[in-house]
Amino acid sequence: MKTVVLFGAGQIGAMISRLMGTEYRISCFADNSEGKWGTTLAGIPVVSPRESLLYDPDCFCLCVLDEERAGQMEAQIRQLGFDGPVLQPNALKTFDARAATMRLLAEQIHEENIPGDVAELGVFRGDFAVLINAAFSDRTIHLFDTFEGFPAKDVEIEQAQGLSRAKTGDFSETAKDIVDKRLLYPEQAVFHKGYFPATFRSCMEKTFAFVSVDADLYAPTVAALPLFFDRLSPGGVLLIHDVNSTQFSGAGKAVREFCAERGLLSMPVCDLHGSVVLRKAWRA
């Protein structure tokens, strides 16, 4: 078994610590933020990069997906004297746990003939919508987004409650036409452009089998959970992004409140952004 230091005590690092196989034993996190030194993440101590070398690691794993940052981090540990192997989780961009979970759920939903449309709240440029559309090619997909970035009133709530550093207009580099052109089955798509939940009015009588909630912020997530969950068919699924995120804590707050109110228990997904699954009770 190889001893590994995880370089980067953030959201990516926390999830990578759970993805590590039995071939590796994690000794510690290394991080450049002095405020994190002496703390723990996922039960693992966080120390300075220099101190992490005292754990005599066989290798380092760089817990970032940005290639430029990864290069800087590798140069740093080389300067500190480490000459062993350096792992980079770039493959996690290719093999995505959230996408795999969605596809497995889609297979089961089809096998069990669970009725209903599918939907996504928080489309941005359509990366995940494209995958949902392909997995549910025979179903109408409802796509909800402002296509203008975060609304000011939602950002005000984030700032007032200290939930994130979101800014008005974040994620505005998109458009309905950009997403529409990427879909494999665009004839199945219905776009609901504008502020949510106002855009949900036309779906009040709909039934859903699968819904992706990726709104990032507290207010739209709070609004989405009862609207979609109450319209799930038995066995239907909500797949909610960023619930265990350190960047957008509002989504997790909304899910915890909803689960406490409804007596539900979310099922975590080990993707890099802390998704969870909520499922409607199956038929008796």
Side-chain angles (χ1 to χ4, degrees):
M1 183 179 293
K2 298 176 182 178
T3 299
V4 59
V5 170
L6 303 183
F7 194 174
Q11 177 65 34
I12 302 296
M15 301 314 289
I16 287 176
S17 73
R18 299 173 180 117
L19 286 166
M20 277 285 171
T22 55
E23 182 180 350
Y24 296 94
R25 182 182 68 82
I26 302 168
S27 59
C28 66
F29 279 102
D31 201 278
N32 285 317
S33 174
E34 294 185 20
K36 295 181 180 181
W37 300 349
T39 66
T40 62
L41 178 64
I44 300 165
V46 182
V47 300
S48 71
R50 185 178 298 277
E51 185 179 349
S52 72
L53 295 176
L54 299 177
Y55 287 80
D56 194 24
D58 296 303
C59 58
F60 271 74
C61 180
L62 308 180
C63 300
V64 294
L65 299 181
D66 180 84
E67 292 183 6
E68 183 177 353
R69 285 186 62 201
Q72 294 168 351
M73 292 162 71
E74 180 169 1
Q76 181 181 356
I77 59 176
R78 297 303 187 200
Q79 290 172 359
L80 290 173
F82 182 76
D83 60 1
V86 175
L87 308 176
Q88 298 194 31
N90 291 333
L92 295 174
K93 296 180 181 180
T94 303
F95 303 104
D96 182 71
R98 182 171 66 131
T101 299
M102 181 275 294
R103 291 186 180 111
L104 284 169
L105 288 166
E107 292 174 17
Q108 188 181 58
I109 286 168
H110 284 113
E111 289 170 1
E112 299 293 343
N113 294 314
I114 296 173
D117 294 347
V118 298
E120 182 170 48
L121 169 63
V123 178
F124 191 39
R125 293 179 177 171
D127 290 350
F128 203 57
V130 168
L131 303 183
I132 299 170
N133 178 234
F136 292 95
S137 60
D138 59 333
R139 308 209 184 196
T140 299
I141 180 170
H142 298 270
L143 299 173
F144 298 86
D145 203 296
T146 64
F147 294 102
E148 296 177 355
F150 291 155
K153 52 187 169 182
D154 290 350
V155 170
E156 288 173 5
I157 294 172
E158 295 289 303
Q159 295 174 346
Q161 298 189 26
L163 297 172
S164 72
R165 296 180 181 178
K167 297 178 181 178
T168 301
D170 282 354
F171 296 98
S172 61
E173 307 86 14
T174 184
K176 171 185 173 295
D177 290 346
I178 292 174
V179 178
D180 191 46
K181 290 176 182 177
R182 296 185 64 193
L183 298 173
L184 293 178
Y185 304 94
E187 70 281 0
Q188 295 288 63
V190 178
F191 286 83
H192 304 268
K193 182 180 184 298
Y195 184 76
F196 188 91
T199 51
F200 192 81
R201 292 193 189 104
S202 62
C203 293
M204 296 298 287
E205 304 303 319
K206 299 292 184 184
T207 300
F208 296 93
F210 175 89
V211 179
S212 167
V213 178
D214 189 8
D216 295 331
L217 308 183
Y218 177 74
T221 306
V222 163
L225 292 175
L227 286 173
F228 284 116
F229 191 83
D230 290 345
R231 288 163 180 80
L232 287 178
S233 298
V237 177
L238 298 187
L239 178 58
I240 310 160
H241 203 220
D242 290 316
V243 174
N244 294 305
S245 171
T246 57
Q247 183 179 7
F248 296 108
S249 61
K253 181 174 186 288
V255 169
R256 288 189 293 274
E257 290 172 352
F258 182 75
C259 288
E261 178 185 334
R262 300 291 186 99
L264 302 172
L265 184 64
S266 63
M267 178 177 177
V269 176
C270 199
D271 65 335
L272 295 182
H273 299 282
S275 299
V276 303
V277 168
L278 291 181
R279 192 152 203 177
K280 199 70 171 284
W282 186 229
R283 58 176 179 260

